[in-house]
Amino acid sequence: MKINEIQAEIVDEFSLFEDWMEKYEYMIELGKSIQLIDTKNKIDANLIKGCQSKLWLFAELKNGRIFYSADSEAIITKGIAAILLRVFSNQTPSDILNSEFKYIDEIGLKEHLSPTRANGLVSMIKQMKYYAIAYSNK
Amino acid sequence: MVFDIKKIRADFPILKRKVNGYNFVYLDNAATSQKPIQVIDSISDYYKNYNSNIHRGVHSVSQEATDAYEGARIKIQNHFNVKKSHEIILTSGTTHSINLVANGFLEILDEKDEIIISGLEHHSNIVPWQMMAARNGVKIKIIPIDENGDLNLNIYDSLLNSKTKLVFVNHVSNALGTVNPIKEIINKAHNVGAAVLVDGAQASAHFKPDLQELDVDFYTTSAHKLCGPTGIGMLYGKEKWLQKMPPYQGGGEMISEVTFEKTTYAELPHKFEAGTPNISGAIAFGVAIDYLNELGLENIHKYESSLLDYATEKLKSITNLKIYGESENKTSVISFNIEGIHAYDIGTLLDKFGVAVRTGQHCAQPIMDHFGISGTVRASLAFYNTKEEIDILFSSLKRAISMLS
């Protein structure tokens, strides 16, 4: 599935929730089920700066596609990271670089992705794109 | 005096707002206090009716502004029981004040000297001294804290010697709320001839220190912690120190005579107040002090203590909740964690319920390292908070925990 299609699908899923609590409960569930980063990659070098809770991100290239994995000490941060992984993982570097993560407003995650927020998720998107740049020449 | 909480809350317009559809419960008072309408109005009154630059005007309105600005200094002087008004330097806040003193001591001290910093300090009382030490080679020593969050004064005793020149300690810890025994710390420092700077940022909203009685050498606070605006604060310094220290910033106001060969600095306090100051801020700072004094700091302290007891007891009934900093002597701050749940998750969900707390390291990483944790949730209470709000914190916290477990 293309990045935009996945985003549309997520927006659809989120539209089913009646209030913020259901939405957060879902994100917490996502956080528990995230594709966890391999222990050997859960190292300081893979930490995203600017988070109140530690957030690790790793990426590897397989058959021309990037596979991301992540982990965080905070479960909500982890849930949002899971959404980002679902959108960007298993995509080609050029698709990742040319994509926009524009559905955020609609699912009410904007507050978590404000550049001034102390959870580092904006830095996570940036780091995901850096990986895409690094891998696009390979 | 009866503490009329309803009437007090009516003075704070922001307390009427909603956040995320819920009543706003503001429990982040250690970060900054909310402002009563009297303070807010004093700022607009200044700009509407007598805005002018101060000290050098020949015209009437400039004189009115100067009188109001200098009037604020007198209010601060009286509030802290300071001997001379020129011992009060108006700064942009505590951080500015500390940097001003650190800069002042840069050339007074050298590599043979030692300074002592308490282990309970905010980054703003650590970093300026490290920057100073990097330049003049002064040796920095630390007073460690114990399990309850109290400073270990036996170790403090052993750190003091004839080489000790300065001691820095906060009156109240921002991360834990511990009230430090500053009188004892000051006396002991003076016994070896060291000066003491007390950071009062977290104290001055809760009690009223008598600076002459304390005999402290420097004391600083930020107006925004005590119902005043941001961007203004004060540094008290004993006259002898302020005269000894060189100016911090050059500019207008701080000079008496300027030629291209030589400048003579102005008298205190203007020597340390270069440029056009935060005039409206200073005036509003004075109004905030009036406001607190009208309520009475003792009444405030008493009310907050009973609120703290109520909140502590309620929170302690929650399974797996651990409070950090249980000093006998603390202000209305509760720093806590729930076992197995990250502080950031708690803070995020509390916010969704309209409850504002702080999470993280509270700019005091060394304290968090001491407890071996990455951060805490911090609820800090003020005199305009209520038991009902504590109940909301409690029920929201319970719901957040059940969502996260």
Side-chain angles (χ1 to χ4, degrees):
Chain A
M1 228 190 307
K2 289 279 178 201
I3 288 179
N4 280 349
E5 291 163 15
I6 299 172
Q7 292 193 52
E9 195 179 77
I10 294 171
V11 172
D12 268 357
E13 287 168 20
F14 270 78
S15 68
L16 299 174
F17 299 127
E18 301 213 329
D19 58 18
W20 71 266
M21 242 180 280
E22 286 187 5
K23 202 186 290 177
Y24 272 74
E25 272 163 359
Y26 178 66
M27 286 199 287
I28 291 162
E29 278 315 306
L30 282 178
K32 288 175 181 163
S33 64
I34 188 173
Q35 171 62 49
L36 286 182
I37 198 165
D38 202 310
T39 323
K40 70 174 194 292
N41 295 319
K42 201 171 161 181
I43 50 172
D44 285 359
N46 289 329
L47 274 175
I48 307 265
K49 292 248 185 268
C51 310
Q52 268 198 16
S53 53
K54 283 186 177 168
L55 171 61
W56 295 265
L57 175 72
F58 182 69
E60 51 199 330
L61 191 69
K62 284 181 201 159
N63 304 324
R65 288 172 178 269
I66 298 181
F67 291 83
Y68 295 99
S69 53
D71 197 2
S72 170
E73 296 172 327
I75 194 86
I76 295 172
T77 305
K78 218 154 130 178
I80 298 164
I83 296 174
L84 297 181
L85 256 53
R86 187 170 149 198
V87 173
F88 293 114
S89 220
N90 194 11
Q91 301 290 339
T92 64
S94 70
D95 280 354
I96 293 165
L97 285 172
N98 294 323
S99 68
E100 270 183 273
F101 196 63
K102 60 183 178 184
Y103 289 90
I104 291 302
D105 280 1
E106 288 178 53
I107 60 173
L109 287 180
K110 198 184 174 191
E111 61 192 80
H112 291 284
L113 294 162
S114 138
T116 50
R117 190 123 183 153
N119 61 8
L121 286 162
V122 165
S123 311
M124 177 168 164
I125 297 180
K126 213 186 263 173
Q127 191 60 35
M128 290 173 109
K129 295 215 168 187
Y130 284 148
Y131 272 118
I133 293 170
Y135 284 135
S136 54
N137 301 320
K138 288 190 179 171
Chain B
M1 190 197 97
V2 192
F3 210 68
D4 189 346
I5 188 71
K6 235 175 143 180
K7 187 167 167 281
I8 290 168
R9 286 180 69 82
D11 286 335
F12 292 79
I14 201 170
L15 299 179
K16 295 181 191 84
R17 69 164 284 181
K18 304 247 173 205
V19 171
N20 298 321
Y22 294 85
N23 286 334
F24 182 36
V25 176
Y26 185 72
L27 302 177
D28 194 18
N29 293 286
T32 194
S33 62
Q34 295 302 344
K35 321 304 172 198
I37 192 70
Q38 291 85 339
V39 167
I40 299 167
D41 283 350
S42 72
I43 296 169
S44 78
D45 178 50
Y46 165 75
Y47 284 113
K48 278 188 210 153
N49 297 310
Y50 61 104
N51 170 50
S52 270
N53 212 334
I54 56 169
H55 291 143
R56 49 191 150 232
V58 66
H59 57 87
S60 308
V61 179
S62 165
Q63 194 54 50
E64 280 177 36
T66 305
D67 289 348
Y69 180 82
E70 290 303 328
R73 194 192 309 274
I74 306 283
K75 284 179 188 180
I76 297 164
Q77 178 199 355
N78 292 335
H79 181 79
F80 291 100
N81 192 27
V82 166
K83 209 170 190 175
K84 297 169 181 168
S85 68
H86 63 244
E87 290 176 315
I88 300 289
I89 310 296
L90 291 162
T91 64
S92 70
T94 302
T95 299
H96 177 194
S97 301
I98 295 170
N99 278 284
L100 192 159
V101 179
N103 181 74
F105 275 81
L106 184 62
E107 279 157 37
I108 297 176
L109 305 180
D110 60 40
E111 69 280 350
K112 293 187 292 296
D113 298 319
E114 296 177 359
I115 62 177
I116 296 177
I117 303 178
S118 102
L120 276 173
E121 295 311 297
H122 185 278
H123 293 167
S124 66
N125 209 5
I126 301 174
V127 183
W129 308 113
Q130 289 174 334
M131 287 166 67
M132 179 186 84
R135 290 170 68 184
N136 63 11
V138 156
K139 210 165 147 206
I140 299 179
K141 293 179 164 181
I142 309 292
I143 319 170
I145 54 175
D146 66 18
E147 261 314 294
N148 291 330
D150 288 313
L151 289 173
N152 185 326
L153 291 188
N154 292 330
I155 297 186
Y156 172 57
D157 288 343
S158 71
L159 297 178
L160 285 165
N161 61 58
S162 60
K163 286 186 263 178
T164 312
K165 291 293 158 10
L166 276 169
V167 175
F168 310 103
V169 60
N170 51 27
H171 198 160
V172 170
S173 150
N174 75 306
L176 308 177
T178 312
V179 181
N180 288 316
I182 54 169
K183 183 67 192 158
E184 194 183 338
I185 290 170
I186 293 165
N187 289 346
K188 285 178 169 170
H190 285 173
N191 285 342
V192 297
V196 180
L197 182 148
V198 174
D199 168 358
Q202 292 297 330
S204 25
H206 307 290
F207 34 79
K208 188 170 169 171
D210 181 329
L211 299 189
Q212 285 188 70
E213 200 256 312
L214 281 173
D215 196 27
V216 67
D217 300 274
F218 298 97
Y219 194 93
T220 174
T221 195
S222 301
H224 75 94
K225 304 281 191 193
L226 49 142
C227 297
T230 53
I232 185 84
M234 72 95 178
L235 170 69
Y236 158 76
K238 277 185 183 165
E239 191 178 31
K240 64 164 184 185
W241 286 119
L242 294 178
Q243 268 164 356
K244 213 169 176 181
M245 283 164 31
Y248 180 43
Q249 291 173 319
E253 284 267 355
M254 52 77 73
I255 35 82
S256 118
E257 228 180 315
V258 178
T259 65
F260 278 106
E261 287 72 40
K262 186 179 168 16
T263 292
T264 323
Y265 301 126
E267 293 292 309
L268 290 172
H270 308 295
K271 172 178 153 188
F272 292 108
E273 293 182 8
T276 296
N278 183 351
I279 303 168
S280 66
I283 294 167
F285 187 2
V287 173
I289 283 179
D290 287 344
Y291 184 86
L292 293 181
N293 282 321
E294 209 156 298
L295 293 177
L297 268 300
E298 271 175 34
N299 296 320
I300 287 174
H301 186 62
K302 221 155 96 194
Y303 177 81
E304 287 175 346
S305 296
S306 75
L307 210 56
L308 175 69
D309 290 345
Y310 181 74
T312 305
E313 200 176 317
K314 273 218 105 142
L315 291 190
K316 275 189 161 173
S317 74
I318 296 174
T319 334
N320 295 332
L321 184 144
K322 178 169 168 49
I323 293 178
Y324 296 92
E326 292 203 81
S327 172
E328 287 290 309
N329 216 344
K330 65 181 269 193
T331 54
S332 44
V333 167
I334 306 180
S335 221
F336 66 92
N337 270 326
I338 314 285
E339 202 190 320
I341 301 180
H342 198 274
Y344 186 78
D345 287 326
I346 296 283
T348 302
L349 292 184
L350 286 180
D351 171 59
K352 299 303 287 182
F353 285 111
V355 180
V357 294
R358 174 94 187 249
T359 65
Q361 302 177 333
H362 320 297
C363 299
Q365 206 175 328
I367 302 178
M368 301 298 130
D369 291 346
H370 169 78
F371 287 112
I373 50 178
S374 62
T376 68
V377 183
R378 183 187 69 185
S380 50
L381 321 175
F383 60 85
Y384 41 75
N385 288 127
T386 62
K387 285 188 175 172
E388 290 72 32
E389 289 181 310
I390 303 300
D391 293 342
I392 295 172
L393 166 69
F394 178 75
S395 58
S396 308
L397 191 54
K398 291 268 263 199
R399 290 175 80 175
I401 293 168
S402 88
M403 284 174 76
L404 291 162
S405 304

